[in-house]
Amino acid sequence: MSKEIKELINEIDVSESNYEKASNRYKAIANYIKESDLAEYSPDIYLQGSIKLGTAIKPLTEDGAYDIDIVCNMTKKRRNHQTQRELKDELGKVVKNYSLKHSMENFPKESNRCWTLNYVDESNFHIDILPAVPWNDTDDGNIAISDKRSDNYDDITFDWEVSSPKVYSDWFKKQSDFQIIKESYAKRFYANIEEIPDYKIKTPLQRIVQLLKRHAEVMFSYSTPLKRFLTTFNNNVLKSSLIIILSG
């Protein structure tokens, strides 16, 4: 890898301290939800998005923010147990209580699908929490999610939007040979693989996605180092990278 590419990666990469801060904040809200009134629904709370995939990048501008996307899957609920609005409001009540308990400066914001916690500090994090219920009775990784734009938002119905963040994450890791590279990393440093945080591992596919994301942010203005970097990789890997970019 050239010096220019290494410098570019260092410039856009999220620091280990910010990954740890993201992890701590995710765990704090996850534990709070699990110990709240929602505990009776056995919430399965997990990361999705760029932090989970290891493709997060630094914000391009000073007023940009780090996004932490998490799912709150109420595993003991089903689509026909409540409306999408009721599910979202139940989670919103807990998220608001968390904000008040921790004297957060910004009150949680409701978007079409999520509740957002905004943290005011030098890192400028925000956490998007997506309420969900299982799509099927079996744990196949598919979830039903609420969306205010749905015509059935206030109806008791099976007609919900489906999403598969766990399946998607597993697919991405398989495409990038993540486990193989992580095992190699563990052997090199004589470490227990279970003790190595995923953010310490960066595969070529993850790096490509990071670079393409930054590339998209600067309006597709190719730099020479970026062109050289992209042309060294197999076209199939590039196709996989573009899928990640286009899916958001």
Side-chain angles (χ1 to χ4, degrees):
M1 185 183 297
S2 71
K3 177 183 177 182
E4 291 83 359
I5 294 299
K6 287 181 179 179
E7 289 176 351
L8 180 56
I9 288 173
N10 288 334
E11 178 185 327
I12 68 174
D13 212 3
V14 178
S15 67
E16 288 193 4
S17 62
N18 274 335
Y19 263 116
E20 289 169 2
K21 184 178 288 187
S23 177
N24 290 337
R25 287 179 172 172
Y26 149 66
K27 289 176 182 177
I29 182 64
N31 289 336
Y32 185 85
I33 293 172
K34 289 178 180 178
E35 295 170 2
S36 71
D37 293 340
L38 298 179
E40 64 177 297
Y41 305 121
S42 299
D44 179 22
I45 304 172
Y46 53 89
L47 287 165
Q48 65 168 343
S50 61
I51 293 290
K52 174 65 176 177
L53 298 176
T55 60
I57 57 176
K58 289 178 183 176
L60 183 60
T61 60
E62 290 185 1
D63 59 349
Y66 290 97
D67 299 335
I68 307 171
D69 299 307
I70 67 177
V71 174
C72 178
N73 182 21
M74 314 290 187
T75 62
K76 289 190 176 179
K77 281 181 174 286
R78 293 296 181 267
R79 283 174 283 169
N80 63 333
H81 289 180
Q82 69 290 298
T83 68
Q84 295 179 44
R85 182 189 295 275
E86 288 169 344
L87 178 72
K88 195 156 182 239
D89 287 348
E90 276 191 283
L91 177 61
K93 180 180 178 180
V94 174
V95 173
K96 291 172 184 176
N97 288 340
Y98 176 87
S99 174
L100 292 171
K101 180 180 179 180
H102 291 83
S103 302
M104 296 183 68
E105 186 173 327
N106 294 321
F107 202 61
K109 179 182 177 182
E110 181 182 8
S111 61
N112 288 324
R113 294 178 175 176
C114 305
W115 288 98
T116 299
L117 286 169
N118 287 295
Y119 294 82
V120 180
D121 59 18
E122 71 284 354
S123 300
N124 202 15
F125 277 97
H126 71 250
I127 299 181
D128 291 329
I129 309 166
L130 176 68
V133 298
W135 183 259
N136 300 308
D137 289 333
T138 57
D139 184 14
D140 59 1
N142 294 314
I143 56 174
I145 62 175
S146 67
D147 192 325
K148 291 171 68 174
R149 297 164 295 188
S150 170
D151 293 337
N152 302 310
Y153 190 63
D154 289 305
D155 300 330
I156 300 286
T157 176
F158 282 102
D159 188 12
W160 291 45
E161 185 174 344
V162 63
S163 184
S164 308
K166 283 187 175 181
V167 176
Y168 183 68
S169 174
D170 290 344
W171 170 84
F172 179 79
K173 287 190 173 183
K174 184 177 180 181
Q175 294 296 312
S176 65
D177 292 327
F178 184 86
Q179 192 63 26
I180 294 172
I181 294 173
K182 187 173 183 178
E183 289 172 359
S184 176
Y185 179 96
K187 289 178 181 178
R188 194 185 336 146
F189 293 98
Y190 302 98
N192 188 333
I193 193 168
E194 286 79 15
E195 297 174 356
I196 301 172
D198 282 356
Y199 65 75
K200 285 186 175 289
I201 309 302
K202 282 292 184 286
T203 69
L205 177 55
Q206 287 172 312
R207 289 303 192 197
I208 291 176
V209 173
Q210 287 180 302
L211 288 165
L212 287 175
K213 283 172 123 180
R214 175 61 90 230
H215 182 60
E217 286 182 336
V218 294
M219 299 179 64
F220 302 96
S221 177
Y222 271 149
S223 65
T224 299
L226 182 56
K227 284 183 180 179
R228 289 183 189 145
F229 183 82
L230 296 179
T231 54
T232 61
F233 282 85
N234 183 279
N235 188 49
N236 289 330
V237 175
L238 289 176
K239 286 179 180 177
S240 299
S241 304
L242 289 170
I243 289 171
I244 306 298
I245 297 296
L246 294 173
S247 63

